[in-house]
């Protein structure tokens, strides 16, 4: 182990002294400056040109294309939304029209039916009135008839009763009867 | 075991020269190439099969796009979108450079002041040119003399404003470089503790520094992201200053 450590220190010592002989920081050694500047310029310009003319336009293009695609999708969505809205509007309008039509139809039917109903009611009322009038006139007529016929019937009835009870046939008259009941005026 | 600073050494892989300047392909260049390859692969795989409804990979790439575009939108506004590609590249370049540097045996090129300073200086020049181009030189110079300040105060304020403006590239570059270098040096030192203490105490002594090392690695990964973010957001703020000149 000691041998290896000794070897290690020997190596370090040698390299450090070698660097010291060269003069410390290699960065400050102007011998390599021209070569480094040359290669830096060459390679940086190469990389710049590759990026500027080859890679970056590709990225720009694909990003533009992506933006356009997104925009076209947005436009399409907007168009679809607009057409949907117009369809809904159209549907609402049609619905409203149908509703109005239906209401008008209902109103018309109602009016017509009401007219018919009123007419029927009127007819029934008239009929009823007619019948009532007829009945009243019938009643009056019958009353009159009864009033006219009643004395005669009474006379006949009293004649019959008299005949049955007494056994003697008499012939009374309406005027006599009226005289009796005091209605000879 | 090497010095904690040895990890920052630049090693030439292929020697090259142009117009008398050394442009050798080094381990730093290799790490930068790896960064560019990694970013390109990340983008390529994410954007291979583009779909309107993104896949997981595409979402990751797109979220990085959104992150930067949000940052620009918040700090600059819509005018800042012109600089999107630059800020996006800058952010990813530094972020991936930092993160790849966390891998063992890799190289953190953002830990070199000359690299960070070059980027920061380029941004500084660019931002100044944008400001002059947009507002003219006179209005740009008025930027150093805030309105509503008493005239005697200007003697003091203008030099301060100019120094603070000129120190922008330095603060921007040193912040990234120092963070990266300090973090990696610390990791290396703690790593050395694990090895030395473990070797001297039959492994048991190495456990505590190892736990510390793991925690620090986590922290370094967060710092790697944070520094890239700070670099990008400060760039946004400087561009905003140039565009709007408050």
């Amino acid at each position: 182990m000691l041998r290896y450590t000794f070897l290690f220190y020997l190596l370090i010592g040698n390299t450090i002294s070698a660097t010291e002989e060269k003069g410390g920081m290699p960065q400050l050694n102007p011998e390599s400056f021209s070569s480094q500047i040359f290669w830096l310029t060459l390679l940086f310009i190469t990389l710049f040109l590759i990026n500027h003319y080859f890679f970056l336009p590709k990225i720009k293009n694909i990003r533009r294309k992506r933006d356009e695609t997104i925009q076209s999708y947005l436009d399409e969505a907007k168009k679809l939304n607009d057409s949907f809205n117009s369809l809904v509007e159209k549907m609402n309008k049609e619905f409203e029209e149908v509703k109005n039509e239906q209401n008008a139809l209902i109103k018309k039917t109602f009016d017509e039916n009401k007219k018919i109903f009123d007419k029927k009611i009127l007819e029934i009322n008239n009929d009823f009135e007619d019948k009532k009038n007829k009945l009243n006139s019938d009643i009056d007529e019958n009353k009159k008839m009864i009033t006219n016929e009643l004395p005669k019937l009474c006379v006949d009835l009293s004649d019959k009763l008299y005949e049955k009870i007494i056994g003697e046939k008499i012939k009374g008259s309406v005027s006599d009867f009226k005289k009796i009941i005091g209605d000879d005026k | 075991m090497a010095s904690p600073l040895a990890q920052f050494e630049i090693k030439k892989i292929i020697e090259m020269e142009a117009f008398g300047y050394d442009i050798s392909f080094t381990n730093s260049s290799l790490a930068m190439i790896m960064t560019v390859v990694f970013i390109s692969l990340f983008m390529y795989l994410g954007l291979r099969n583009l779909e309107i409804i993104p896949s997981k990979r595409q979402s990751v790439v797109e979220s990085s796009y959104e992150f930067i575009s949000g940052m620009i939108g918040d700090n600059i506004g819509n005018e800042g979108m012109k600089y999107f590609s630059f800020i996006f590249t800058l952010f990813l370049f530094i972020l991936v450079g930092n993160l790849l540097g966390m891998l063992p045996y890799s190289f953190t090129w953002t830990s070199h002041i000359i690299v960070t300073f070059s980027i920061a200086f380029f941004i500084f020049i660019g931002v100044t040119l944008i400001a002059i181009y947009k507002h003219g030189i006179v209005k740009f110079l008025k930027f150093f003399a805030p309105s509503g300040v008493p005239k005697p105060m200007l003697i003091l304020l203008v030099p301060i404003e100019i120094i603070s403006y000129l120190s922008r590239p330095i603060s921007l570059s040193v912040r990234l470089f120092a963070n990266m270098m300090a973090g990696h040096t610390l990791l290396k030192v703690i790593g050395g503790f694990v090895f030395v203490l473990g070797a001297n105490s039959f492994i048991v002594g190495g456990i505590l520094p190892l736990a510390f090392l793991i925690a620090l690695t986590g922290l370094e990964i967060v710092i790697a992201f944070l520094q890239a973010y700070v670099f990008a957001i400060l760039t946004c703020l400087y561009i905003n200053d140039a565009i709007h000149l408050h």
Side-chain angles (χ1 to χ4, degrees):
Chain A
M1 191 69 179
L2 266 173
R3 202 176 54 182
Y4 284 125
T5 319
F6 175 70
L7 245 170
F8 172 65
Y9 279 119
L10 203 70
L11 205 69
I12 291 183
N14 276 342
T15 353
I16 287 179
S17 58
T19 322
E20 275 168 355
E21 274 163 24
K22 275 187 189 171
M25 279 168 67
Q27 282 95 335
L28 302 178
N29 178 12
E31 277 174 26
S32 65
F33 283 6
S34 56
S35 141
Q36 290 201 68
I37 293 174
F38 170 75
W39 286 101
L40 170 73
T41 316
L42 181 75
L43 292 172
F44 188 81
I45 290 174
T46 311
L47 186 64
F48 174 79
L49 293 178
I50 294 173
N51 272 343
H52 188 69
Y53 290 106
F54 188 63
F55 289 128
L56 293 177
K58 274 186 170 182
I59 304 183
K60 261 179 222 167
N61 271 346
I62 193 72
R63 287 170 69 86
R64 205 193 55 232
K65 218 179 272 179
R66 183 177 304 139
D67 286 347
E68 279 171 6
T69 313
I70 291 172
Q71 198 52 47
S72 75
Y73 283 157
L74 283 177
D75 287 347
E76 204 174 313
K78 198 172 176 291
K79 218 188 274 174
L80 279 174
N81 192 32
D82 284 351
S83 70
F84 168 76
N85 280 342
S86 71
L87 264 178
V88 166
E89 210 169 291
K90 200 179 157 195
M91 206 175 74
N92 279 342
K93 210 173 152 189
E94 275 176 17
F95 181 71
E96 201 65 30
E97 268 173 23
V98 168
K99 209 170 130 188
N100 287 343
E101 221 168 87
Q102 207 177 22
N103 279 344
L105 206 69
I106 288 170
K107 199 168 176 289
K108 195 181 157 197
T109 318
F110 181 80
D111 286 350
E112 272 174 13
N113 283 344
K114 196 169 180 286
K115 224 181 268 176
I116 293 168
F117 181 76
D118 285 349
K119 203 177 155 191
K120 281 272 176 208
I121 291 275
L122 200 71
E123 269 174 25
I124 288 167
N125 277 345
N126 286 344
D127 200 25
F128 180 75
E129 203 65 36
D130 283 353
K131 283 195 172 149
K132 197 177 129 193
N133 288 342
K134 201 183 165 209
L135 211 64
N136 278 341
S137 70
D138 277 1
I139 288 169
D140 283 348
E141 213 169 283
N142 283 340
K143 217 167 141 186
K144 213 182 273 171
M145 194 189 81
I146 286 168
T147 318
N148 290 337
E149 290 291 318
L150 196 64
K152 196 184 167 239
L153 279 173
C154 284
V155 170
D156 284 353
L157 190 67
S158 63
D159 282 357
K160 287 248 165 81
L161 280 172
Y162 190 82
E163 194 185 330
K164 283 257 166 136
I165 297 163
I166 310 293
E168 191 183 331
K169 213 174 178 177
I170 61 157
K171 182 83 179 143
S173 69
V174 174
S175 57
D176 291 340
F177 179 73
K178 278 183 179 173
K179 244 178 237 170
I180 292 164
I181 62 170
D183 191 24
D184 57 341
K185 286 164 249 177
Chain B
M1 183 153 157
S3 141
L5 294 180
Q7 57 174 317
F8 304 117
E9 257 173 53
I10 303 281
K11 291 174 193 123
K12 288 180 185 172
I13 297 173
I14 303 166
E15 285 207 31
M16 283 192 267
E17 212 181 283
F19 307 109
Y21 290 101
D22 173 35
I23 53 162
S24 302
F25 186 77
T26 60
N27 52 348
S28 165
S29 324
L30 182 68
M32 269 187 220
I33 286 185
M34 293 289 284
T35 308
V36 172
V37 168
F38 187 88
I39 295 171
S40 305
L41 213 65
F42 166 74
M43 299 289 275
Y44 174 73
L45 289 177
L47 303 175
R48 199 166 38 169
N49 298 316
L50 281 176
E51 273 168 54
I52 299 237
I53 297 165
S55 62
K56 281 178 194 165
R57 277 195 301 239
Q58 194 187 331
S59 292
V60 174
V61 175
E62 280 194 36
S63 65
S64 69
Y65 179 97
E66 257 167 54
F67 179 69
I68 300 297
S69 97
M71 186 195 285
I72 294 174
D74 289 345
N75 291 299
I76 312 179
N78 272 337
E79 291 162 84
M81 287 303 165
K82 264 192 277 181
Y83 311 104
F84 182 87
S85 301
F86 176 70
I87 294 167
F88 185 81
T89 308
L90 183 71
F91 174 72
L92 278 189
F93 195 49
I94 294 172
L95 176 69
V96 175
N98 290 348
L99 288 176
L100 284 184
M102 290 304 298
L103 294 175
Y105 298 107
S106 66
F107 183 86
T108 322
W109 56 262
T110 44
S111 66
H112 271 257
I113 180 75
I114 186 65
V115 176
T116 58
F117 186 75
S118 302
I119 301 173
F121 191 69
F122 173 74
I123 291 167
F124 173 74
I125 297 288
V127 159
T128 310
L129 289 179
I130 291 168
I132 294 173
Y133 177 76
K134 279 228 169 207
H135 304 277
I137 187 88
V138 179
K139 222 173 166 190
F140 170 69
L141 288 176
K142 274 187 191 165
F143 178 64
F144 298 109
S147 57
V149 176
K151 273 184 184 157
M153 283 289 284
L154 285 179
I155 302 165
L156 199 66
L157 263 176
V158 171
I160 292 175
E161 285 285 331
I162 292 175
I163 290 168
S164 87
Y165 190 77
L166 292 178
S167 65
R168 276 177 177 187
I170 298 163
S171 72
L172 195 61
S173 57
V174 169
R175 185 182 298 110
L176 178 60
F177 143 72
N179 265 291
M180 287 297 120
M181 195 192 81
H184 283 267
T185 310
L186 190 63
L187 286 181
K188 188 82 177 183
V189 169
I190 304 288
F193 281 168
V194 177
F195 196 62
V196 174
L197 291 177
N200 284 321
S201 62
F202 302 100
I203 302 177
V204 183
I207 291 174
L208 188 70
L210 182 66
F212 201 59
L213 184 70
I214 292 168
L216 268 180
T217 309
L219 184 74
E220 277 305 310
I221 289 171
V222 174
I223 288 175
F225 174 80
L226 205 68
Q227 287 308 317
Y229 176 69
V230 167
F231 206 99
I233 211 162
L234 281 173
T235 307
C236 284
L237 290 177
Y238 295 160
I239 294 175
N240 180 44
D241 272 354
I243 293 175
H244 299 115
L245 276 192
H246 54 78

